Amino acid sequence: MVDTKEQFEKIISLCRDLFEKKLHDYGPSWRIMRPQSVTDQIFIKANRIRSLETKGVSLVGEGIVPEFIAIVNYGIIGLIQLSLGYAETTDISAPDALKLYDKHMTETKELMYAKNHDYDEAWRSMRVSSYTDLILMKIYRTKQIESNAGQTLVSEGIDANYMDMVNYALFGLIKLKFGE
């Protein structure tokens, strides 16, 4: 029997570990990024995944797993930036950044668990390439909402789109690590 929560926790731990190591190396330098720049960074990662899926070869020697991890971590950074606003400098400590990461990851994970219940784990029957396409679609939606100064008539906001991108990337990582 598949333990979805255990798989999610293992993958989230992998993403958090890399986030923490990069935080050590670079500090919270991402604090200067405006949300639009975070969205563009996620676009770069998702576009590279799609390119690798289409071409089937990487000339840089890295596969799609690091890119999905980056989407998870930049998605959480995006949520942090939306909640705090961007800064002119690195205005938080590494421990505070990790606390914010954990807070936003927990909220995102809880949303995923609720949706997973309602959709009855339909994501397990999907292809990894579909997660890539869904992430790209969410990016274009987010860019449109950003162009509309964050205003929507009937749609979820930027934060919900970041959460969905994180969860689709987590789905991809689970499928790549644990298989069907």
Side-chain angles (χ1 to χ4, degrees), residues 35-144:
Q36 298 89 336
S37 298
V38 176
T39 302
D40 285 342
Q41 187 63 26
I42 296 169
F43 171 75
I44 290 168
K45 302 302 182 182
N47 199 59
R48 181 161 188 271
I49 292 169
R50 188 169 182 166
S51 174
L52 292 174
E53 288 170 345
T54 303
K55 294 174 184 172
V57 65
S58 168
L59 297 181
V60 193
E62 296 175 348
I64 62 175
V65 168
E67 304 298 354
F68 273 126
I69 293 171
I71 290 170
V72 169
N73 288 340
Y74 276 110
I76 298 300
I77 287 170
L79 291 167
I80 293 169
Q81 295 300 79
L82 288 174
S83 70
L84 297 181
Y86 67 92
E88 296 299 324
T89 185
T90 55
D91 63 344
I92 60 175
S93 67
D96 286 343
L98 280 173
K99 285 179 193 169
L100 289 164
Y101 182 96
D102 292 340
K103 173 187 180 291
H104 289 282
M105 180 59 83
T106 298
E107 291 170 2
T108 301
K109 179 177 59 174
E110 292 305 318
L111 174 66
M112 186 283 310
Y113 288 153
K115 285 185 175 185
N116 195 43
H117 172 270
D118 290 354
Y119 287 94
D120 202 24
E121 297 207 347
W123 64 271
R124 289 196 180 272
S125 299
M126 294 172 62
R127 297 172 187 92
V128 173
S129 60
S130 293
Y131 307 137
T132 306
D133 291 349
L134 288 166
I135 291 167
L136 285 164
M137 178 191 66
K138 292 287 184 175
I139 291 166
Y140 281 106
R141 285 182 178 182
T142 301
K143 286 182 173 205
Q144 183 61 47

